[in-house]
Amino acid sequence: MIRVVPGTKDILPSESWQWQGVEQVCAKVARRYGFHEIRTPIFEETELFARGIGETTDIVGKEMYTFSDKGGDSVTLRPEMTAPVARAVIQHSLIEESTTLKVWYSGPMFRYERPQKGRYRQFHQFGAELLGSANPVADAEIIAFGYSILRALDLTQFELHLNTLGNTASREKFRHELVAFLTPHKDGLTQTSQNRLLTNPLRILDSKAEQDKEILKNAPRLSDCLDDESTAFYEQVKELLTIQNIPFIENQSLVRGLDYYSHTAFEFITDKLGSQNALGGGGRYDGLLSMLGAKNAIPGIGFGLGIERLLLLLGEEAKAAGEEQKPDIYLIGLDKVCRNECIRLAAELRSEDFCAVIDVQNRSFKAQMREANKLGATLVIIIGEGEMQTQTCSVKVMATGEQISVANIDIPHKLRSIMLANMPIPQ
Ligand code: AMP
């Protein structure tokens, strides 16, 4: 049997409605914040990610799905969306002087990681990017947008962690101090951290290894290296979150190692999903677009949420997004003529936007009734010889068992009012 490739998953009909529910909530919240969708190709020139994410990161170093196409060009399945969005902004000149661009995206990303619960090789992200503003108001908008999605999904078991990396000057000062502090302790660090000391020292702060953590206990702190501009920026982000009642936890070990990151870094963390505890995160990347060839420096900030992890957390919290689609009406015909009448009537009902389902296997009345039950139909229409003669049909309300006769001419109108009367009251 041929199976899915490890680290990838089928999204089956029994679960796709939850995916649609999450995606719809995300799109709805995007609308509230005035963001528009952008769709870029699933693969890009490898160079885009090598430059846009950074050669020293795990993503570029170890995790990219890169291959040569038939023409010999190196292409890569996108591992994230900030670089493709930045490319599109530059290519189509989407930002002019003093304008901003607010976009969201949703779709699959690809990273060759070790698969485990909450970590896949093809996974899905919903995310947003706000480009063209270097103002902390933009940071607060982006964080509030991500937070609002989690709340709109009714999730509560998470925390927002916040940090600042400061401006370039502050970060350089910190990098110097960190390297000066760690160099004498080099031999006590893990091999990965020793390598990072040369390539990307800030990322050592991210290390989960006990031996690194022990040494880092006395390391200089980024907050001590912040200049006045950086501190003022951070204070304003915090104030803007506070006035929106968005709770956050300051976390100094939240870092992004690359040069083009600055100021705000944040992550939505949960303790309900084991080691894959990040639901999503983001940050400010003021240097990225220049690095990718933009003529003017275009600042930006964005976030990405992992859809699989949102769904896992919804499961943990015993909540659901969206609603499983059930038929409004299941039509049962008792003989061939009646079945044809069911087909005619189903077409009429569908054009009135009902979900109408018919038997497609010529099964017995009992089997059809069983299927109507299994599918959770709200109403069942039964047409037999008697109904054909009187130009009516029998309508059974499944929730109550009540059965009534409705004249054909009244059907769509009458069914709508029966359905309304039998709808669960929204909570
Ligand atoms: P990142 O771009 O690494 O900051 O990822 C943003 C979010 O995407 C993470 O917080 C996760 O929720 C999700 N994510 C990243 N990598 C994976 C993966 N391999 N499998 C599932 N979700 C992922």
Side-chain angles (χ1 to χ4, degrees):
M1 191 194 347
I2 300 174
R3 295 174 163 274
V4 292
V5 171
T8 69
K9 281 200 312 179
D10 296 313
I11 299 162
L12 299 173
S14 56
E15 49 192 351
S16 58
W17 62 273
Q18 292 245 43
W19 280 76
Q20 290 169 356
V22 170
E23 286 158 2
Q24 279 160 15
V25 167
C26 290
K28 194 165 78 182
V29 176
R31 208 182 141 271
R32 294 183 193 157
Y33 282 82
F35 281 64
H36 296 273
E37 187 182 11
I38 184 165
R39 298 186 189 197
T40 62
I42 299 278
F43 58 92
E44 299 268 356
E45 275 183 34
T46 301
E47 174 72 10
L48 172 66
F49 299 115
R51 269 207 272 161
I53 303 176
E55 307 272 4
T56 61
T57 59
D58 286 351
I59 296 183
V60 175
K62 302 191 262 195
E63 298 169 1
M64 291 208 301
Y65 277 90
T66 297
F67 56 96
S68 294
D69 65 14
K70 300 264 189 253
D73 293 321
S74 179
V75 294
T76 295
L77 300 184
R78 63 187 188 194
E80 57 97 56
M81 271 294 279
T82 305
V85 168
R87 180 207 38 75
V89 166
I90 298 167
Q91 181 176 341
H92 305 288
S93 309
L94 296 181
I95 295 193
E96 283 155 14
E97 204 109 336
S98 77
T99 60
T100 55
L101 181 77
K102 304 199 288 184
V103 291
W104 64 266
Y105 59 82
S106 177
M109 310 292 153
F110 305 85
R111 295 182 194 173
Y112 192 80
E113 295 195 80
R114 201 163 44 76
Q116 63 181 83
K117 182 181 167 198
R119 190 162 72 190
Y120 313 99
R121 291 179 175 169
Q122 173 173 335
F123 63 97
H124 298 75
Q125 276 186 358
F126 175 93
E129 313 288 349
L130 198 169
L131 293 126
S133 168
N135 194 295
V137 173
D139 302 51
E141 281 284 278
I142 276 289
I143 297 172
F145 180 1
Y147 178 82
S148 299
I149 289 177
L150 300 181
R151 294 301 299 125
L153 289 168
D154 201 22
L155 293 171
T156 55
Q157 307 286 308
F158 70 91
E159 287 171 351
L160 164 59
H161 286 208
L162 184 68
N163 194 18
T164 182
L165 308 173
N167 56 16
T168 312
S170 304
R171 215 171 43 257
E172 269 316 300
K173 180 164 182 262
F174 175 61
R175 187 199 308 268
H176 259 96
E177 292 193 10
L178 186 66
V179 171
F181 169 83
L182 288 175
T183 305
H185 297 94
K186 188 169 168 243
D187 295 341
L189 293 170
T190 56
Q191 191 56 50
T192 314
S193 292
Q194 290 188 28
N195 297 343
R196 285 182 177 156
L197 194 54
L198 300 172
T199 56
N200 197 345
L202 260 64
R203 284 219 38 219
I204 297 174
L205 301 180
D206 239 355
S207 172
K208 307 266 184 299
E210 280 311 319
Q211 72 188 88
D212 291 341
K213 281 193 190 164
E214 194 52 42
I215 294 174
L216 287 170
K217 268 187 190 155
N218 300 316
R221 292 165 77 88
L222 211 158
S223 55
D224 297 330
C225 298
L226 295 179
D227 60 15
D228 291 347
E229 188 219 2
S230 304
T231 307
F233 193 104
Y234 188 41
E235 289 304 320
Q236 204 176 336
V237 173
K238 289 192 282 184
E239 184 191 342
L240 295 174
L241 295 177
T242 305
I243 62 173
Q244 298 180 75
N245 288 324
I246 298 176
F248 57 86
I249 290 168
E250 293 182 70
N251 176 352
Q252 289 224 21
S253 59
L254 189 62
V255 287
R256 309 207 151 215
L258 300 176
D259 286 343
Y260 59 73
Y261 285 117
S262 53
H263 295 293
T264 309
F266 62 98
E267 209 148 34
F268 298 105
I269 311 259
T270 178
D271 60 3
K272 297 282 171 248
L273 299 183
S275 59
Q276 303 310 306
N277 64 352
L279 297 169
R284 181 167 273 287
Y285 48 85
D286 289 349
L288 173 64
L289 276 86
S290 317
M291 230 184 55
L292 291 176
K295 281 192 224 85
N296 307 317
I298 299 173
I301 177 155
F303 71 84
L305 293 170
I307 306 276
E308 284 84 354
R309 295 193 193 167
L310 295 181
L311 286 162
L312 284 169
L313 186 57
L314 279 167
E316 289 294 322
E317 294 196 22
K319 289 169 183 158
E323 229 178 285
E324 191 167 12
Q325 190 197 320
K326 295 181 175 164
D328 298 320
I329 302 144
Y330 190 100
L331 296 98
I332 301 180
L334 297 183
D335 62 21
K336 178 148 192 306
V337 180
C338 299
R339 283 173 187 275
N340 284 356
E341 172 59 8
C342 284
I343 291 168
R344 188 203 63 75
L345 185 55
E348 185 187 334
L349 290 169
R350 288 164 183 162
S351 71
E352 295 279 336
D353 209 29
F354 287 100
C355 167
V357 174
I358 53 167
D359 169 47
V360 290
Q361 293 183 86
N362 237 349
R363 285 176 298 185
S364 68
F365 172 78
K366 231 170 125 185
Q368 291 186 65
M369 209 54 198
R370 215 178 301 127
E371 183 173 49
N373 249 318
K374 195 169 137 216
L375 295 177
T378 309
L379 306 177
V380 170
I381 284 184
I382 303 159
I383 301 179
E385 226 176 293
E387 283 85 359
M388 288 297 288
Q389 274 167 14
T390 51
Q391 303 258 303
T392 60
C393 61
S394 300
V395 179
K396 181 168 179 171
V397 183
M398 296 300 272
T400 58
E402 180 193 6
Q403 195 158 317
I404 50 173
S405 173
V406 179
N408 277 1
I409 193 128
D410 279 347
I411 285 179
H413 171 74
K414 188 80 185 167
L415 293 194
R416 209 173 295 282
S417 54
I418 299 175
M419 287 203 40
L420 274 176
N422 282 281
M423 236 154 55
I425 297 157
Q427 299 193 346

